[in-house]
Amino acid sequence: MDPATFAALDGESQDGIPFRAVMGHCHQTWARTFFSRPELYFQPQSIQEIEKIVNISRRRRRRLVVVGSAHSPSDLTCSSSWKVNLDNFNSVISVDPKTKVAVVQSGISLHDLGIELQNHGLAMPSLGSIDDQSLAGAISTGTHGSSLQHGLLSGSVKGLRIMLANGRTVTCDSVQNAEIYQAALVSLGALGIIVEISFQAVPAFDIEWQQEIVPLSTILSKWNKDLWTQAEFVRVWWLPHSQRCIIWKAEKTTKPRREPKGSWYGGRLGFHIYQPLLYFSNWFPSLLPAIEWFVFGMQFGFKNQICNSAVQPGRTGLLMDCLYSQFVNEWSVPLEDGPEVLRRLSAWINHDDDAADLPVPSKGIYVHAPIEVRVSDTSVSEPRPFLDHSNRNGPTLYINATMYRAYHTEPVCKDTYYQAFEALMVEYGGKPHWAKNFSTVKRDEFVSMYGDDLKKWQRVRDQVDPDGLFVGEWHRRNILEGKGLDIEEQESYRIEGVGGGWEWHGERARSSGGTSRPGSSGSYEMMHGAEAASTYFEKVAAEESP
């Protein structure tokens, strides 16, 4: 940071409100796919501190990026500007025992929220595969579980408060500031800082789950029967080379709790066997079918059978171990198209290009297991987030093509695999999960996928943040049209890290021809008539110039 900026910040900090800025912080994604070094890194503990950060960053023309657990392996949260982490802004404000609505600060993790709710006899209605994410981060990227009785996690959000680029905090729900609400439910971090969430909980519950290993043909034959309706929670792990699947299903229960049976191979031993085999396959990828057969045979059995079961609290039983650093490329397609999609993808993975009928040859390509197959249904959810990636006309199938980064090395077949995978998903009207590693989709294709909903989201975004305080390279590359805004950050270059991954470097877009909107610092049309909290810097903000 240049001395003049440092001196100016020091002068603006003499008001009794902490300005917890750290220099020299290195931010990395959980999978260590991207690294970036923000100029300043903050972990505020109060709404006043967040407000102060927003106002000073706007005056100093520094982009703000909010980051949680960094579980997205993409460059969505990369920045060389200012970065805000809300891990210390994580309190439960209130829990209403009658309505079962919990009001919480947005930095609380799903794990901690689950514990707090349990203390009140409550729970989240559904969970994804992990609970490390912050609640705000999980909502903002469209996190989901696997159940036809549940949709996105944001479907449980009754209302929220979001701090906009002018430092004001707006309350929004399905009635009040409804368009901001629909945009913020999957905000991608580009609207403002979500500071408070009203979350609809349910009575605490246990689940009885069961795992069964079956042939892929069984999955396909049961698809339109009871595969996805046989229990409230159902997911499938597909072993594509051996043509087998593990069905995991769970129902709520009042039975006595019991842990899953252990095995001498499961747990740490299996963990430390699979990774070196994946690493070795980077030089000999044709070994991956044999590795899959051995590793998952040892874990789940070499014959078709019920391989494990347990009765556990829902908040832990619904989770799974993500194992190692990984690339994840998850797409949604209509559930009804699932059998055909899986047959064609299976044909391509097993080198039957004629049956696969994809534009990418499969010769020499081998992939990692498992491929995760999950479902949801948001077709009856209202209001629907503008950037909801699920199928609006019926149940949704999610297919997650994972490629592990064994010891943080790049899997050799990833790019070709993902090119073919995405071509297939696009053919069936698919949409990529916002937080994952989609690679071939361009801005024009997102416009086609989301249509008027994307235009509505962009309009709200432009009105609440006209100078691009919360806009970065990822947003411009994928979903925003036009030139860069005044404070917007763009990528200047990236270099390959010594231990794998990429070190990302950014710069202010205006320095490369971005645009500033005259008078925009006082133009927030979406706030007309809104319930906005008074700000500690209101007088200063009114006097400052763009």
Side-chain angles (χ1 to χ4, degrees):
M1 181 184 296
D2 63 273
T5 299
F6 187 84
L9 289 176
D10 186 58
E12 291 181 307
S13 299
Q14 307 304 314
D15 55 11
I17 299 173
F19 190 65
R20 306 175 197 273
V22 175
M23 299 176 65
H25 177 80
C26 179
H27 172 78
Q28 64 184 36
T29 61
W30 171 82
R32 297 180 67 180
T33 47
F34 284 96
F35 302 80
S36 61
R37 300 178 184 275
E39 182 181 44
L40 292 179
Y41 179 78
F42 303 90
Q43 287 191 305
Q45 298 178 16
S46 69
I47 192 80
Q48 293 87 356
E49 290 180 53
I50 298 171
E51 181 185 300
K52 181 172 183 172
I53 294 166
V54 169
N55 283 302
I56 293 179
S57 68
R58 184 183 66 254
R59 287 200 295 272
R60 296 299 157 195
R61 319 314 275 170
R62 297 297 200 275
R63 178 203 174 196
L64 269 184
V65 181
V66 181
V67 63
S69 65
H71 261 272
S72 170
S74 75
D75 61 334
L76 175 60
T77 58
C78 286
S79 177
S80 296
S81 187
W82 291 7
K83 191 164 290 191
V84 180
N85 172 269
L86 299 179
D87 284 358
N88 295 330
F89 187 71
N90 60 356
S91 297
V92 174
I93 298 170
S94 66
V95 178
D96 189 321
K98 292 182 178 180
T99 64
K100 303 178 181 62
V101 172
V103 181
V104 300
Q105 292 178 334
S106 58
I108 193 168
S109 69
L110 299 184
H111 174 81
D112 290 347
L113 176 58
I115 293 175
E116 292 289 346
L117 291 176
Q118 179 179 272
N119 292 337
H120 292 271
L122 301 173
M124 288 175 278
S126 181
L127 281 168
S129 299
I130 58 174
D131 65 355
D132 302 312
Q133 316 100 305
S134 69
L135 179 59
I139 289 167
S140 296
T141 52
T143 296
H144 61 90
S146 189
S147 171
L148 289 183
Q149 298 181 33
H150 302 282
L152 302 185
L153 184 65
S154 61
S156 296
V157 175
K158 306 302 291 182
L160 51 81
R161 299 178 70 224
I162 182 169
M163 187 173 292
L164 304 179
N166 63 354
R168 298 199 174 210
T169 302
V170 175
T171 298
C172 53
D173 54 34
S174 60
V175 177
Q176 183 179 19
N177 300 309
E179 282 203 324
I180 298 180
Y181 177 63
Q182 285 184 265
L185 285 177
V186 180
S187 71
L188 304 177
L191 270 69
I193 301 179
I194 296 174
V195 294
E196 188 177 293
I197 298 167
S198 297
F199 190 86
Q200 181 65 66
V202 299
F205 60 91
D206 288 352
I207 57 170
E208 181 177 24
W209 62 260
Q210 175 183 288
Q211 288 177 170
E212 181 180 7
I213 191 160
V214 300
L216 175 61
S217 59
T218 298
I219 297 292
L220 298 178
S221 66
K222 296 179 63 176
W223 194 277
N224 294 319
K225 297 177 182 177
D226 65 344
L227 176 64
W228 301 110
T229 58
Q230 59 185 306
E232 181 174 350
F233 305 98
V234 183
R235 62 188 174 210
V236 171
W237 295 299
W238 175 26
L239 313 178
H241 293 297
S242 55
Q243 298 291 295
R244 297 206 300 166
C245 298
I246 297 104
I247 301 176
W248 184 96
K249 61 182 180 180
E251 281 282 17
K252 293 173 182 173
T253 185
T254 57
K255 294 180 180 180
R257 291 178 181 175
R258 55 183 173 82
E259 290 301 306
K261 64 181 181 182
S263 73
W264 65 271
Y265 178 84
R268 293 184 62 84
L269 179 60
F271 180 93
H272 290 295
I273 287 177
Y274 193 24
Q275 185 162 209
L277 291 175
L278 290 171
Y279 181 78
F280 189 64
S281 74
N282 286 332
W283 287 271
F284 304 98
S286 62
L287 292 177
L288 280 169
I291 292 171
E292 176 189 297
W293 172 83
F294 169 75
V295 167
F296 290 94
M298 292 295 293
Q299 181 73 35
F300 298 103
F302 291 95
K303 62 181 181 179
N304 300 327
Q305 60 183 353
I306 294 174
C307 46
N308 214 338
S309 65
V311 176
Q312 296 177 308
R315 71 174 188 85
T316 56
L318 290 170
L319 305 177
M320 61 171 283
D321 187 348
C322 289
L323 298 179
Y324 325 109
S325 170
Q326 58 195 250
F327 291 106
V328 284
N329 195 350
E330 182 178 61
W331 283 61
S332 65
V333 295
L335 181 63
E336 63 193 36
D337 293 327
E340 188 173 355
V341 169
L342 294 188
R343 286 190 186 99
R344 290 180 62 187
L345 184 58
S346 177
W348 188 86
I349 290 172
N350 290 287
H351 306 125
D352 186 350
D353 286 359
D354 290 338
D357 191 25
L358 291 174
V360 183
S362 64
K363 183 177 180 180
I365 301 300
Y366 299 88
V367 308
H368 294 171
I371 296 173
E372 189 177 32
V373 183
R374 297 185 290 171
V375 294
S376 74
D377 191 354
T378 64
S379 60
V380 296
S381 300
E382 291 294 340
R384 183 181 176 85
F386 290 139
L387 296 186
D388 187 333
H389 44 54
S390 63
N391 176 23
R392 68 163 55 246
N393 298 315
T396 298
L397 173 69
Y398 288 97
I399 305 178
N400 187 9
T402 299
M403 291 292 280
Y404 292 109
R405 302 178 66 247
Y407 304 116
H408 301 104
T409 57
E410 307 304 297
V412 294
C413 298
K414 173 182 71 75
D415 291 343
T416 303
Y417 176 30
Y418 281 1
Q419 184 181 355
F421 177 73
E422 293 186 16
L424 179 62
M425 297 300 111
V426 168
E427 190 174 332
Y428 288 88
K431 296 176 183 175
H433 190 297
W434 292 114
K436 305 301 174 70
N437 293 111
F438 56 88
S439 58
T440 65
V441 189
K442 307 302 181 185
R443 185 188 302 115
D444 290 346
E445 291 174 276
F446 280 116
V447 171
S448 177
M449 291 174 185
Y450 286 90
D452 288 342
D453 283 339
L454 180 57
K455 293 179 181 178
K456 292 176 183 176
W457 184 89
Q458 291 173 333
R459 185 181 70 248
V460 173
R461 204 228 67 77
D462 288 346
Q463 289 177 321
V464 300
D465 179 23
D467 282 345
L469 182 68
F470 299 103
V471 174
E473 170 74 23
W474 187 98
H475 304 105
R476 181 65 57 188
R477 181 176 73 238
N478 290 305
I479 54 178
L480 295 181
E481 298 178 332
K483 295 181 179 180
L485 302 171
D486 183 31
I487 312 179
E488 177 180 335
E489 184 181 19
Q490 68 181 17
E491 181 178 352
S492 53
Y493 65 94
R494 65 177 68 178
I495 56 177
E496 191 168 1
V498 175
W502 293 92
E503 185 173 317
W504 190 101
H505 294 263
E507 62 183 1
R508 187 174 163 190
R510 189 180 180 185
S511 64
S512 299
T515 60
S516 176
R517 304 185 182 190
S520 58
S521 64
S523 175
Y524 293 91
E525 297 177 10
M526 291 297 293
M527 293 199 51
H528 179 70
E531 179 187 331
S534 297
T535 129
Y536 280 73
F537 293 87
E538 188 168 1
K539 182 178 179 180
V540 177
E543 296 173 351
E544 69 189 23
S545 58

